[in-house]
Amino acid sequence: MALWLGGKWRATALSLHAPSSWRRSFRSDAALEAITRAAEEKVPNVVLYNYPSFSGAFSALFAHLFHSRLSLPCLILPFSSVEPLRVEDFYVEGLDKCYLLDFVGLKGFASKLSQQSMCEVIAFDHRKSALPQINCSEDLRVTFNVNLEKSSSIAAYEYFSNKLANMMSFDATNLLNSEDRDRVETVLKYIEDADLHRWSITEIKAFRIGLGEWRSKLNCITNPYMYKQLLEISSADVVAKGNLYISSRQIAANKLLDKLFKVRLGRGFYGECLVMTYQSVSDSHP
């Protein structure tokens, strides 16, 4: 997991000899120990991102880049609905801001977190299911950024980019360098097309299939290289991989269809059915 302290990111990824339960659980000993360590060192910023969501992971990337660029202490953790972190886990003295990226939590989660830690909570989401949370919250320290027309990852990208520009004294500072910007922004457009169920990009199906292999890498607890890997994702490479998979499955399907033929049941009185010839490995050898 990522923990920025003392002017550098401290490696807190799991040891190869850590108990297997640490690696399976999201409210794990490793996560709870990181929160305890952050409390002891009075880390003022905590980032929780939706796992295993690509919008959540990219939002975490932008939070990571923002805090590291400004040398701000920050703890970043994945938040899974399978075994979610609890409000009572965050007794962090001196906590100033907590970001909820690509989720708003269960009813009252953001408000309870704000009231317990006396911190500002800033949440990003793009789902209709998040709207009731806005109507129920009256806590002035909680800000919900819910936009049904913009994915959470793009909203977080714009938020942290603008915040960085406003806090720096010169205009040349950007969240992403010129080498990464176009590539990452293109990937974000594909992700948004799927997140908002628009399906308007021609190659979106191939992109989603090609991106699937990355999902297991979106946990910053078990994968300390997540941010670097996200920056390197190319939409062209992902689409190419997706198209290759689609093509291979189509070829396999065509081979299967070539073995089908119709059989008339009871000379056609009982209709027809499709039959496929099959030869087992044992039958193919004398």
Side-chain angles (χ1 to χ4, degrees):
M1 70 196 70
L3 182 58
W4 176 270
L5 290 169
K8 62 181 179 180
W9 285 99
R10 176 178 297 178
T12 58
L14 296 184
S15 162
L16 292 176
H17 304 290
S20 60
S21 60
W22 282 21
R23 297 189 292 272
R24 290 196 303 267
S25 172
F26 296 100
R27 187 179 178 272
S28 63
D29 291 340
L32 296 177
E33 286 180 7
I35 295 172
T36 300
R37 188 160 52 250
E40 293 171 350
E41 299 179 359
K42 298 183 179 180
V43 174
N45 303 291
V46 170
V47 174
L48 305 177
Y49 69 93
N50 187 17
Y51 175 89
S53 157
F54 286 102
S55 258
F58 271 96
S59 297
L61 165 66
F62 303 137
H64 160 80
L65 293 173
F66 170 80
H67 288 91
S68 59
R69 188 71 61 87
L70 296 174
S71 299
L72 298 174
C74 178
L75 171 65
I76 302 179
L77 292 171
F79 187 96
S80 171
S81 59
V82 174
E83 189 176 1
L85 292 164
R86 306 166 188 170
V87 171
E88 53 267 28
D89 294 331
F90 292 94
Y91 285 104
V92 180
E93 183 181 354
L95 182 59
D96 180 46
K97 286 185 175 63
C98 181
Y99 296 95
L100 309 181
L101 304 180
D102 194 40
F103 78 102
V104 297
L106 297 175
K107 184 177 180 180
F109 177 81
S111 295
K112 291 177 183 177
L113 182 59
S114 173
Q115 292 165 9
Q116 173 184 280
S117 302
M118 299 301 291
C119 69
E120 181 182 4
V121 176
I122 304 171
F124 294 84
D125 205 339
H126 56 257
R127 301 169 183 83
K128 288 183 179 180
S129 58
L131 294 178
Q133 297 281 34
I134 302 176
N135 301 328
C136 292
S137 177
E138 297 180 355
D139 193 331
L140 297 179
R141 289 187 299 262
V142 177
T143 302
F144 290 106
N145 298 286
V146 179
N147 189 335
L148 304 184
E149 299 300 320
K150 183 181 296 185
S151 70
S152 301
S153 51
I154 289 183
Y157 174 51
E158 294 175 349
Y159 173 86
F160 286 112
S161 294
N162 293 334
K163 192 171 184 179
L164 178 65
N166 292 334
M167 295 181 69
M168 300 300 287
S169 58
F170 49 93
D171 296 333
T173 300
N174 292 293
L175 198 63
L176 296 171
N177 60 43
S178 56
E179 181 182 350
D180 297 328
R181 191 177 307 122
D182 289 343
R183 182 174 61 256
V184 172
E185 288 180 354
T186 300
V187 171
L188 292 181
K189 290 177 181 177
Y190 275 92
I191 291 174
E192 181 179 70
D193 196 57
D195 278 349
L196 303 184
H197 305 287
R198 290 174 177 164
W199 318 119
S200 60
I201 299 178
T202 304
E203 297 171 318
I204 187 62
K205 180 180 179 181
F207 178 84
R208 292 188 70 201
I209 292 174
L211 197 63
E213 69 173 27
W214 288 89
R215 197 171 295 278
S216 62
K217 303 176 183 179
L218 301 183
N219 188 334
C220 68
I221 294 180
T222 56
N223 179 20
Y225 307 105
M226 183 186 81
Y227 306 118
K228 182 177 183 296
Q229 292 169 344
L230 290 176
L231 281 173
E232 294 173 348
I233 293 179
S234 163
S235 59
D237 292 343
V238 172
V239 168
K241 183 163 292 187
N243 280 328
L244 182 62
Y245 177 84
I246 292 172
S247 177
S248 67
R249 302 314 299 163
Q250 186 60 55
I251 291 173
N254 290 340
K255 288 181 179 179
L256 184 63
L257 291 173
D258 288 342
K259 298 180 180 180
L260 294 177
F261 61 91
K262 289 182 179 180
V263 172
R264 299 178 68 192
L265 302 176
R267 297 183 179 181
F269 183 78
Y270 298 105
E272 299 177 338
C273 70
L274 291 176
V275 177
M276 181 183 69
T277 59
Y278 172 76
Q279 184 179 33
S280 69
V281 175
S282 58
D283 292 340
S284 60
H285 298 283

